[in-house]
């Protein structure tokens, strides 16, 4: 069942399109990786999916009851965010705020959701630790738990491995794969890591101002875009 459907979508700024002709579909349970060089339109697409940018033409449909404020979003982390002075539990709890009509009060269900998602990501023992004292990999797990508090349907991730060491990077990709395959979470991940994209995704969307490829990952390497961008990589 489709969650998102893009039909000839064009996106841009000040009357000038930066990405054109987007035609893709995200089904429940998909793991879609969005790849492309800097300036190819990946960040603009993220803003459109989050409802922060309107299409200049075409249509971006959210189906099966999915709303844009129900997307769990994991952005690239800034330096100031890494130094956030709050406990792990407090940070994870903020992921429930998008669902609330009244801010400032957390319900028992909110707290249970936070604890459940921390358990899924293996960070329960960090509950009372200060977020800024954690390693980069631990901080990403906390932010991922926060994103899960906002959704049970769809995670949108922007370069989730940025700044992580190789071990933490691999652990992050394995966690995402586990969430996708074992918890049914649909994933859209923007990434420069073509190796991980080929290894874990079910579908690829390659942008370069326009749509160079959309389809199953197994078909990407045989496409012109895949041969040029991915080179000798394989998803074996």
């Amino acid at each position: 069942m489709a969650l998102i459907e893009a039909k000839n979508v064009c996106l841009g700024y000040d009357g000038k399109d930066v990405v054109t002709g987007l035609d893709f579909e995200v089904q429940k349970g998909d793991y879609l990786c969005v790849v492309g060089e800097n300036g190819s339109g990946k960040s603009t697409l993220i803003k459109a999916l989050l409802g922060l940018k309107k299409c200049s033409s075409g249509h971006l449909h959210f189906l099966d009851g999915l709303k844009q404020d129900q997307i769990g979003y994991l952005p690239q982390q800034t330096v100031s965010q890494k130094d956030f002075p709050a406990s792990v539990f407090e940070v994870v709890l903020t992921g429930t705020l998008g669902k609330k009509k009244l801010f400032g009060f957390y319900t028992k269900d909110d707290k249970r959701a936070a604890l459940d998602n921390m358990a899924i990501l293996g960070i329960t023992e960090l509950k009372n630790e200060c977020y800024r004292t954690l390693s980069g990999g631990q901080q990403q797990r906390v932010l991922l738990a926060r994103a899960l508090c906002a959704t049970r349907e769809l995670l949108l991730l922007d370069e989730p491995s940025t700044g992580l060491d190789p071990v933490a990077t691999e652990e992050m990709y394995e966690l995402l794969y586990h969430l996708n395959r074992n918890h049914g979470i649909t994933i859209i991940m923007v990434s420069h890591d073509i190796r991980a994209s080929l290894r874990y995704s079910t579908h690829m969307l390659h942008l370069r101002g326009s749509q160079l490829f959309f389809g199953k990952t197994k078909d990407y390497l045989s496409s012109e875009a895949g041969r040029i961008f991915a080179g000798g990589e394989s998803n074996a």
Side-chain angles (χ1 to χ4, degrees), residues 152-222:
R152 297 311 300 173
E153 290 282 354
L154 175 66
L155 282 174
L156 175 59
L157 306 109
D158 186 4
E159 300 286 357
S161 64
T162 298
L164 300 183
D165 63 47
V167 172
T169 293
E170 194 62 31
E171 288 177 349
M172 174 59 62
Y173 289 138
E174 288 291 337
L175 276 173
L176 293 174
Y177 183 78
H178 172 73
L179 290 171
N180 177 247
R181 292 303 174 93
N182 298 324
H183 291 271
I185 302 293
T186 303
I187 290 175
I188 301 175
M189 181 175 76
V190 172
S191 180
H192 283 101
D193 190 337
I194 189 64
R195 180 197 63 82
S197 297
L198 292 171
R199 180 177 177 184
Y200 293 104
S201 71
T202 61
H203 293 75
M204 300 283 288
L205 174 61
H206 189 151
L207 303 180
R208 192 171 67 195
S210 61
Q211 183 173 306
L212 299 184
F213 177 88
F214 170 69
K216 292 184 177 181
T217 302
K218 65 180 182 180
D219 298 324
Y220 178 64
L221 284 176
S222 61

Side-chain angles (χ1 to χ4, degrees), residues 86-106:
S87 73
V88 166
F89 188 55
E90 289 169 334
V91 172
V92 175
L93 264 176
T94 62
T96 67
L97 291 176
K99 302 177 182 179
K100 302 172 76 67
K101 294 182 179 180
L102 295 175
F103 292 95
F105 298 95
Y106 293 110

